[in-house]
Amino acid sequence: MTHSAISRLESLFATETALMREFIAILQKEAEVLATPAVGDALNATTASKNTLAQQLSASAASRHAIYEELGYKDKDASNARLRQDHPALNPAIDALAQAAQQAHEINEDNGIVIDAYLKYNQQAMNELRILAGQDLPLYDASGRARQSSASKTSIKAG
């Protein structure tokens, strides 16, 4: 049973590492998109791809943790350390996944900083538009729909 579980783990590490590298490629594409003036549709596409890969990575990690438990490793945080000691042949696979995950984390953080800057800029622009329009309320509600200005709610009577 142990040999079978180790083989499955080795396969999962390879699969997860490949998925993580694909995730990194999408994050790098996202960084390129964020560096261009018109980010809208391209950013939506990278976000959809990231979400799909994140689900696949999560499923793979869940499978990996199930095998950890099958092998008697109950503590998720300590599992890799114990696995490294008990099965040193897996160290290159564990290292490859850890390095890819670290790279993805760093790129994602950098992209998040750029996205936050865009959001702040857009919020400032919306506030300026609201001020210029003489509205006390934001131009859009939380769902992104245009709000009715108080001026358009006022009925005008002839006469």
Side-chain angles (χ1 to χ4, degrees):
M1 173 169 87
T2 301
H3 181 68
S4 170
I6 296 302
S7 293
R8 288 182 293 154
L9 263 181
E10 194 169 29
S11 177
L12 273 172
F13 276 121
T15 298
E16 243 179 298
T17 300
L19 287 170
M20 193 62 72
R21 287 187 177 128
E22 195 175 335
F23 193 73
I24 289 167
I26 291 169
L27 289 170
Q28 289 169 332
K29 173 72 174 162
E30 180 180 64
E32 290 172 16
V33 167
L34 290 169
T36 62
V39 298
D41 291 337
L43 188 58
N44 289 338
T46 60
T47 299
S49 296
K50 278 184 0 182
N51 289 341
T52 298
L53 275 170
Q55 290 172 347
Q56 292 172 341
L57 284 163
S58 179
S60 182
S63 297
R64 182 169 35 89
H65 289 291
I67 296 172
Y68 285 173
E69 287 191 18
E70 181 182 326
L71 291 169
Y73 305 130
K74 303 293 182 198
D75 181 9
K76 288 182 182 179
D77 294 332
S79 295
N80 281 345
R82 287 193 47 218
L83 193 64
R84 284 177 181 280
Q85 290 175 346
D86 296 346
H87 304 281
L90 289 176
N91 286 348
I94 294 170
D95 290 341
L97 178 57
Q99 289 169 358
Q102 181 62 34
Q103 183 181 6
H105 174 75
E106 290 169 3
I107 297 169
N108 200 42
E109 272 196 353
D110 290 345
N111 289 355
I113 290 168
V114 174
I115 290 169
D116 283 344
Y118 274 124
L119 288 173
K120 286 178 185 171
Y121 172 80
N122 286 338
Q123 185 61 51
Q124 288 171 346
M126 293 300 296
N127 288 341
E128 290 298 320
L129 287 172
R130 181 180 50 80
I131 290 167
L132 291 172
Q135 294 181 338
D136 294 330
L137 299 172
L139 293 176
Y140 297 96
D141 64 16
S143 65
R145 293 192 185 115
R147 283 192 191 236
Q148 294 280 331
S149 70
S150 55
S152 65
K153 291 180 183 177
T154 305
S155 56
I156 299 174
K157 296 182 182 179

